[in-house]
């Protein structure tokens, strides 16, 4: 079947990619656009374009498959963004979900105090101009909204500040309507909103973003075991998707870093041009959430073990990551400007894992002026399009077309050439090593499906 064997491409230790390169690529090729751009945009809010939405959907689907579909003890829900306002009193967000701010008296810049270098915090000095900083002030991140139509009779509530609260609200219903028994988990992917004081670095810190959460309910005596299990599981999950494995680490939180709901926490961190930054949090939430919601709602959320009849409030292991941050980190991890050995233009390539690449294959007739080539290429394209995201391209020379696909991370290009007309074989060119193999037309679909689908 093959004339040339594909070779494994070693991951080169390339420099960290500036965020601006990704911003520019995302806009130019239709991954991400600034929201309301024609009105000047809104800081910390973005829209996803045609390729962005494919990448995002693939990331989400892969997470759902690995967390919900393939774990017998996990089910999924989809809760709403707006909830009863008491939820956020019970959760502690109204009181505790605050950032501590300081402003520079001289240059007027605003900073999160915990983001300032140690030295600036101690000396109360602006990191930009050296000016004096104001006294720290508390700033709540919850976004307010109102339910109702009659002025004066509207109920103030919040757009959810963390998506996971719906899981605690639906916990009892899930328990009663499914056959779950502790230990078990509930997953959800959904939007969250925060009035971030310093949104920035593109998708890294936004005001509207998406989270994926697992809340895993356990008997207190098994908390350590499950905390370790999910920490490891989630770390390996991210590791499996990236090229630069040495840029991933687990870091325990210091006591003064812990969120109000956590007794212990680890961050899965990824190193980019921004330094080591949180990608996902693994939180030991203990009985904080179910105890608080029991207390504030008056509903008993304790669990009775069906065998021992022991009654207790389950403890919770949370794994909470960002879909947008995953999107950004995967692009930063995949982006490379590879020098051309022949000294021509560098090749920009997105080495995205084929499972999550937005376009899986491009079908390219070698020449546009040969109707037989176009006909065969279009017929193959139509066949592939039904089972994977495919593109057809007959504009410009073949080298340019390969480059266009490399830049958006398409793992395979299929070229229909003159030999195809003789023996019904085509070349499949692989993105990373640029190696080519020759296969029969009938073998293209099964070959690609095996390479681009995680559950093949
Ligand atoms: N339920 C726990 C929770 O919300 P978190 O550490 O505040 O914990 C979890 O958030 C994840 O959500 C983070 O690891 C990050 O990936 C993502 N995230 C948090 N704030 C974000 C923001 N402003 N913009 C983009 N992603 C954010």
């Amino acid at each position: 079947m093959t004339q040339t064997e594909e070779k494994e491409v070693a991951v080169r230790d390339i420099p960290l990619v500036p965020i601006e390169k990704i911003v520019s690529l995302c806009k130019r090729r239709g991954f991400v656009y600034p929201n309301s751009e024609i009105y000047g945009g809104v800081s910390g809010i973005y829209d996803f374009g045609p390729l962005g939405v494919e990448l995002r959907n693939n990331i989400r689907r892969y997470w759902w498959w690995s967390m919900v579909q393939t774990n017998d003890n996990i089910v999924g829900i989809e809760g709403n963004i707006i909830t009863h306002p008491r939820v956020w009193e019970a959760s502690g967000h109204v009181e505790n979900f605050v950032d501590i701010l300081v402003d520079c008296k001289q240059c007027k810049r605003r900073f999160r105090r915990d983001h300032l270098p140690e030295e600036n915090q101690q000396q109360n000095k602006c990191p930009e101009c050296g000016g004096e900083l104001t006294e720290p002030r508390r700033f709540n991140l919850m976004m307010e909204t109102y339910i109702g139509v009659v002025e004066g009779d509207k109920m103030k509530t919040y757009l959810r500040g963390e998506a996971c609260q719906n899981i605690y609200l639906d916990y009892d219903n899930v328990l009663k309507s499914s056959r779950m028994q502790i230990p078990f988990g509930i997953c959800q992917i959904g939007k969250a909103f925060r009035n971030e004081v310093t949104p920035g670095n593109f998708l890294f810190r936004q005001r509207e973003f998406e989270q994926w959460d697992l809340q895993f309910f356990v008997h207190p005596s098994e908390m350590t075991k499950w905390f370790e299990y999910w920490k490891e599981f989630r770390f390996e999950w991210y590791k499996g998707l990236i090229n630069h494995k040495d840029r991933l680490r687990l870091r325990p939180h210091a006591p003064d870093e812990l969120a109000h709901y956590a007794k212990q926490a680890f961050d899965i961190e990824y190193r980019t041009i921004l330094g080591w930054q949180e990608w996902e949090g693994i939180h030991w939430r203990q009985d904080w959430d179910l105890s608080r919601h029991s207390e504030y709602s008056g509903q008993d959320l304790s669990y009775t073990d069906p065998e021992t009849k022991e009654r207790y409030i389950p403890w919770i292991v949370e794994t909470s990551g960002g879909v947008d941050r995953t999107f950004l980190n995967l692009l930063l991890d995949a982006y490379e400007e590879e020098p051309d050995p022949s000294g021509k233009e560098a090749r920009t390539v997105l080495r995205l894992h084929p499972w999550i690449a937005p376009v899986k294959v491009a079908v390219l007739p070698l020449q546009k002026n040969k109707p037989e080539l176009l006909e065969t290429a279009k017929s193959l394209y139509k066949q592939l399009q039904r089972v994977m995201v495919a593109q057809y391209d007959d504009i410009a020379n073949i080298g340019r077309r390969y480059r266009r696909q490399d830049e958006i991370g398409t793992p395979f290009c299929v070229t229909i050439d003159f030999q195809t007309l003789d023996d019904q074989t085509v070349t499949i060119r692989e993105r990373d090593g640029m190696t080519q193999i020759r296969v029969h037309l009938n073998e293209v679909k099964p070959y690609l499906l095996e390479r681009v689908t995680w559950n093949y």
Side-chain angles (χ1 to χ4, degrees), residues 202-248:
F202 195 34
L203 304 179
F204 184 79
R205 195 173 306 285
Q206 299 172 85
R207 287 180 165 141
E208 175 179 343
F209 56 97
E210 198 167 46
Q211 294 184 309
W212 47 41
D213 289 302
L214 160 69
Q215 306 295 320
F216 200 76
F217 301 88
V218 303
H219 187 277
S221 65
E222 294 208 306
M223 185 68 178
T224 304
K225 176 179 105 182
W226 286 110
F227 189 68
E228 292 306 316
Y229 175 85
W230 285 113
K231 205 167 81 182
E232 175 80 11
F233 185 102
R234 294 301 302 148
F235 185 77
E236 292 300 323
W237 190 87
Y238 285 108
K239 201 164 154 193
L241 279 183
I242 56 174
N243 300 312
H244 302 284
K245 318 274 185 208
D246 59 328
R247 295 184 188 164
L248 196 72

Side-chain angles (χ1 to χ4, degrees), residues 336-388:
E336 187 174 348
E337 288 173 11
E338 187 185 66
D340 185 326
S342 63
K344 291 194 216 130
E345 249 177 282
R347 173 175 85 120
T348 300
V349 53
L350 275 187
R351 299 190 194 281
L352 289 169
H353 197 300
W355 292 347
I356 54 140
V359 177
K360 307 299 184 192
V361 61
V363 181
L364 317 172
L366 188 64
Q367 283 184 14
K368 200 179 172 163
N369 55 0
K370 292 281 171 220
E372 312 93 284
L373 292 184
L374 302 199
E375 202 182 310
T376 311
K378 280 184 184 157
S379 153
L380 178 65
Y381 165 63
K382 282 284 156 201
Q383 198 194 108
L384 294 176
Q385 189 190 41
R386 294 175 65 81
V387 290
M388 66 188 72

Side-chain angles (χ1 to χ4, degrees), residues 365-366 393-405:
L366 188 64
D393 187 5
D394 59 16
I395 296 173
N397 70 46
I398 195 76
R400 280 229 160 271
R401 282 182 273 162
Y402 284 151
R403 291 290 173 98
R404 274 208 287 267
Q405 296 299 330

Side-chain angles (χ1 to χ4, degrees), residues 357-451:
V359 177
K360 307 299 184 192
V361 61
V363 181
L364 317 172
L366 188 64
Q367 283 184 14
K368 200 179 172 163
N369 55 0
K370 292 281 171 220
E372 312 93 284
L373 292 184
L374 302 199
E375 202 182 310
T376 311
K378 280 184 184 157
S379 153
L380 178 65
Y381 165 63
K382 282 284 156 201
Q383 198 194 108
L384 294 176
Q385 189 190 41
R386 294 175 65 81
V387 290
M388 66 188 72
V389 177
Q391 285 192 352
Y392 171 87
D393 187 5
D394 59 16
I395 296 173
N397 70 46
I398 195 76
R400 280 229 160 271
R401 282 182 273 162
Y402 284 151
R403 291 290 173 98
R404 274 208 287 267
Q405 296 299 330
D406 289 343
E407 200 188 34
I408 61 170
T410 308
F412 299 101
C413 289
V414 179
T415 307
I416 318 298
D417 56 21
F418 294 105
Q419 192 182 330
T420 314
L421 303 178
D422 288 340
D423 65 4
Q424 300 283 292
T425 64
V426 295
T427 58
I428 300 183
R429 180 240 191 209
E430 181 270 337
R431 175 197 67 202
D432 292 343
M434 295 186 280
T435 49
Q436 302 198 355
I437 56 171
R438 197 134 195 123
V439 307
H440 193 274
L441 266 172
N442 293 340
E443 290 171 348
V444 175
K445 188 165 101 178
Y447 173 84
L448 291 177
L449 274 176
E450 189 183 344
R451 300 295 302 272

Side-chain angles (χ1 to χ4, degrees), residues 162 164 194 196 204 206 209 211 261 278-279 318 320 322:
E162 55 170 6
C164 64
R194 294 181 187 174
E196 291 285 356
F204 184 79
Q206 299 172 85
F209 56 97
Q211 294 184 309
Y261 49 72
E278 174 184 349
W279 191 341
E318 171 183 66
S320 181

